[in-house]
Amino acid sequence: MLGIIEFLAVVTSAVYGIVLATRKGLDVVGVAVIASVIAFGGGTLRDVLLDRRPLFWMAHEHYVVIVLALAVVGSLMPRPFVWLGRHLALPDALGLALYSLTGVAFALQEGASHLIAVLMGVITGTFGGVIAEVLCNEIPSLFRPMPLYATCAFLGAWAYLGVSHLGWGEGVALAVGFSVIFLLRMGALRWRIILPAAKV
Amino acid sequence: MLGIIEFLAVVTSAVYGIVLATRKGLDVVGVAVIASVIAFGGGTLRDVLLDRRPLFWMAHEHYVVIVLALAVVGSLMPRPFVWLGRHLALPDALGLALYSLTGVAFALQEGASHLIAVLMGVITGTFGGVIAEVLCNEIPSLFRPMPLYATCAFLGAWAYLGVSHLGWGEGVALAVGFSVIFLLRMGALRWRIILPAAKV
Amino acid sequence: MLGIIEFLAVVTSAVYGIVLATRKGLDVVGVAVIASVIAFGGGTLRDVLLDRRPLFWMAHEHYVVIVLALAVVGSLMPRPFVWLGRHLALPDALGLALYSLTGVAFALQEGASHLIAVLMGVITGTFGGVIAEVLCNEIPSLFRPMPLYATCAFLGAWAYLGVSHLGWGEGVALAVGFSVIFLLRMGALRWRIILPAAKV
């Protein structure tokens, strides 16, 4: 099941990256770089921090083929991706939810504690987007008042762990974790739920 | 003894990060991210480069709890941190000195040569701040004429190694290394000691 | 033979970094940082991703001595480096070609597939420059219409692999790969060969 989730995380993240990159008018190399960074960045950091070898995209080489093929298609025929771009929040929220859950689950497999596993989920879910912003030299979303993002991954990771302990099976736990992250993120966008700034 | 130094390095670096982040008016997630990056960034890079596993903050999970708790407290009650902010140079210099020494000592434990150990000390001491600047999209201090920073870590690391060889005990060597880095940094700030630019 | 190529890659990349850094009027620490990042960044990422230990610059410590010595010389006597700066494209293209080939070859040695080896070549050849741009807070070249860069590494890596399979010997394959990357890059600069942007 984690394999399917990881596969979907790669595809939705790559689509998100391609929409971003074609919007900015990058060439095919730029589109491939941004798509790869967003699709593989978070999972790579997770694997390096946990010392999981080989890295997930070396172990599943078809991920690389798919992302590069999508990037080439997206460069040549950006129209369907532009259409998707109007619903950009969707692949972004899907990638966040799916990648965060793989982070938690793989960290537990490596013997990490609950707290470390939750943090690994948040890092895996959010890091690709952070690197992409740094590469694009944008004002990091950390510094703009933005609807909940890392917070969704954090709460959903705990929900997944909590339901795991109830013994209803891994599938139910993953479904609950996914729903919490995905719905919380879409809700935060819809109603602009924003954390207050530290009041100095 | 290294355990105590590392603990103090984590706390002082986290305080430094929280002051920086609350000043910029970040929300609690932003404060936690900046505090974690500054407190754990340099040591994480050190551990990844040296292949020390598990990473120091996974092996000492209470570090993570402390930094996150400090970040939450700092977001809700930033006043004491603002007060500390007037003395921001202090936690910064403490973190630089303490982290640099852990970098040197752990590198030696892994069998690194003196030169590599010194570089690992400089990287450990300075890298957290560098990533924080990159995340905050600031003009990197590398490009502004700034009082000695990496230089202090570099000289203090050699002082620590030199005294280690005199056989006066690890405690004396650490104390000398700490004093060199800390006093040099505070002195460089006080008297604005700046390296000359390459004269083209 | 790979040892010689790696040595030359380190030296040409360091020279490139020193020219860049002295031009910007950095002090000796800044020059050393930029030279080290450009000379060691790509190879370090390659080694961390492939889990090759110890890192190449820890295993070949004289690389570090050479880069730091060049950085000090470049800070004190920048004139010869300024002169080189008029031919900046040369060390840049050399570093790109040499480092990319080490990336491909070392990845194959670690048992990577052809596709992964090619990507590792591109990453090794280009990453040092990417980090340097991020550290310098520049508009990443990804986002300016630029002559072919990563593309040269990509095509040269496949050329090297292709010739390797013909059984004419490693030396011929390396020479062909080198020529493709180096000449393509110099030609792309000379005739401003630029990939078209994704047409939205």
Side-chain angles (χ1 to χ4, degrees):
Chain A
M1 188 131 47
L2 279 175
I4 298 172
I5 289 183
E6 191 172 67
F7 177 80
L8 292 175
V10 167
V11 172
T12 52
S13 303
V15 167
Y16 175 66
I18 291 166
V19 173
L20 269 189
T22 49
R23 257 195 196 170
K24 295 219 167 201
L26 299 194
D27 61 26
V28 63
V29 172
V31 174
V33 169
I34 298 294
S36 302
V37 164
I38 294 185
F40 299 132
T44 301
L45 183 61
R46 172 200 67 207
D47 287 355
V48 167
L49 293 180
L50 291 172
D51 211 13
R52 284 180 85 232
R53 305 294 179 155
L55 300 178
F56 77 106
W57 49 273
M58 295 190 191
H60 303 281
E61 202 180 318
H62 56 285
Y63 291 172
V64 176
V65 176
I66 291 171
V67 170
L68 293 184
L70 281 173
V72 170
V73 170
S75 292
L76 297 177
M77 308 193 307
R79 201 149 308 205
F81 290 89
V82 169
W83 178 84
L84 271 173
R86 275 175 232 149
H87 314 275
L88 199 54
L90 209 73
D92 186 24
L94 285 171
L96 175 69
L98 295 165
Y99 254 132
S100 299
L101 292 176
T102 69
V104 182
F106 288 143
L108 291 176
Q109 280 177 11
E110 300 291 316
S113 70
H114 283 180
L115 176 60
I116 297 294
V118 166
L119 292 182
M120 216 48 74
V122 175
I123 290 173
T124 308
T126 61
F127 189 70
V130 172
I131 316 185
E133 281 184 333
V134 168
L135 283 182
C136 300
N137 210 14
E138 291 198 348
I139 299 167
S141 37
L142 214 57
F143 291 90
R144 290 168 291 166
M146 294 280 286
L148 303 182
Y149 195 79
T151 314
C152 310
F154 187 78
L155 296 176
W158 283 115
Y160 163 65
L161 284 180
V163 175
S164 287
H165 279 274
L166 297 178
W168 296 348
E170 182 71 0
V172 177
L174 285 170
V176 169
F178 175 84
S179 307
V180 168
I181 302 176
F182 181 74
L183 296 176
L184 205 53
R185 171 64 182 159
M186 296 307 279
L189 282 173
R190 176 72 185 74
W191 293 290
R192 286 198 65 76
I193 307 174
I194 295 175
L195 290 173
K199 19 185 160 77
V200 183
Chain B
M1 187 132 48
L2 280 174
I4 298 173
I5 290 184
E6 191 172 68
F7 177 80
L8 292 174
V10 167
V11 173
T12 53
S13 302
V15 167
Y16 175 66
I18 292 165
V19 173
L20 270 188
T22 48
R23 257 195 195 169
K24 295 218 166 199
L26 299 194
D27 61 26
V28 64
V29 171
V31 173
V33 169
I34 298 294
S36 302
V37 165
I38 293 185
F40 299 132
T44 301
L45 183 61
R46 174 199 66 207
D47 286 356
V48 168
L49 293 180
L50 291 171
D51 211 14
R52 284 180 85 231
R53 306 293 179 155
L55 301 178
F56 77 106
W57 50 272
M58 295 189 191
H60 303 281
E61 204 180 317
H62 55 286
Y63 291 172
V64 176
V65 176
I66 290 171
V67 169
L68 293 184
L70 280 172
V72 171
V73 170
S75 291
L76 297 177
M77 308 192 307
R79 202 149 307 205
F81 290 89
V82 170
W83 178 84
L84 272 173
R86 275 175 231 149
H87 313 275
L88 198 55
L90 209 73
D92 186 23
L94 285 171
L96 176 69
L98 295 165
Y99 254 132
S100 299
L101 292 176
T102 69
V104 181
F106 288 143
L108 291 176
Q109 280 176 12
E110 301 290 315
S113 70
H114 283 180
L115 176 60
I116 297 296
V118 166
L119 292 182
M120 216 48 76
V122 174
I123 290 172
T124 309
T126 61
F127 189 70
V130 171
I131 316 185
E133 281 184 333
V134 167
L135 283 182
C136 298
N137 210 13
E138 290 199 348
I139 299 167
S141 37
L142 214 56
F143 290 89
R144 289 169 290 166
M146 293 280 286
L148 304 182
Y149 195 78
T151 313
C152 309
F154 187 77
L155 295 176
W158 283 115
Y160 163 65
L161 284 180
V163 175
S164 288
H165 279 274
L166 296 178
W168 296 348
E170 183 72 359
V172 177
L174 286 170
V176 169
F178 175 84
S179 306
V180 169
I181 302 175
F182 182 74
L183 296 177
L184 206 53
R185 171 64 182 160
M186 296 307 279
L189 282 173
R190 177 72 185 74
W191 293 290
R192 286 197 66 77
I193 306 175
I194 295 175
L195 288 173
K199 18 183 161 81
V200 183
Chain C
M1 187 131 48
L2 279 174
I4 298 173
I5 289 184
E6 190 173 68
F7 177 80
L8 291 174
V10 167
V11 172
T12 53
S13 303
V15 167
Y16 176 66
I18 292 166
V19 172
L20 269 189
T22 49
R23 258 195 194 169
K24 295 219 167 199
L26 299 194
D27 61 27
V28 63
V29 172
V31 173
V33 169
I34 298 295
S36 302
V37 164
I38 294 185
F40 298 133
T44 301
L45 184 60
R46 174 199 66 207
D47 287 356
V48 168
L49 293 180
L50 291 171
D51 211 12
R52 284 181 85 233
R53 305 295 179 155
L55 301 178
F56 77 106
W57 49 273
M58 295 190 190
H60 303 281
E61 203 180 319
H62 55 286
Y63 291 172
V64 177
V65 175
I66 290 171
V67 170
L68 294 184
L70 280 173
V72 171
V73 170
S75 291
L76 297 176
M77 307 191 307
R79 202 149 308 205
F81 290 89
V82 170
W83 178 84
L84 271 174
R86 274 175 232 149
H87 312 276
L88 198 56
L90 209 73
D92 186 24
L94 285 171
L96 176 68
L98 296 166
Y99 254 132
S100 299
L101 292 176
T102 68
V104 182
F106 288 142
L108 291 176
Q109 280 177 11
E110 301 290 316
S113 71
H114 284 180
L115 176 60
I116 297 295
V118 166
L119 292 181
M120 216 48 75
V122 174
I123 289 173
T124 309
T126 60
F127 189 70
V130 171
I131 316 184
E133 281 185 333
V134 167
L135 283 182
C136 299
N137 210 14
E138 291 198 346
I139 299 167
S141 37
L142 214 56
F143 290 89
R144 290 169 290 166
M146 293 280 286
L148 305 181
Y149 195 78
T151 314
C152 310
F154 186 78
L155 296 176
W158 283 115
Y160 163 66
L161 284 179
V163 176
S164 287
H165 278 274
L166 298 178
W168 296 348
E170 183 72 359
V172 177
L174 286 170
V176 169
F178 175 84
S179 306
V180 169
I181 302 175
F182 181 75
L183 295 176
L184 206 54
R185 171 64 181 158
M186 295 307 279
L189 282 173
R190 177 72 185 74
W191 294 290
R192 286 197 66 76
I193 306 175
I194 295 176
L195 289 173
K199 19 185 161 80
V200 184

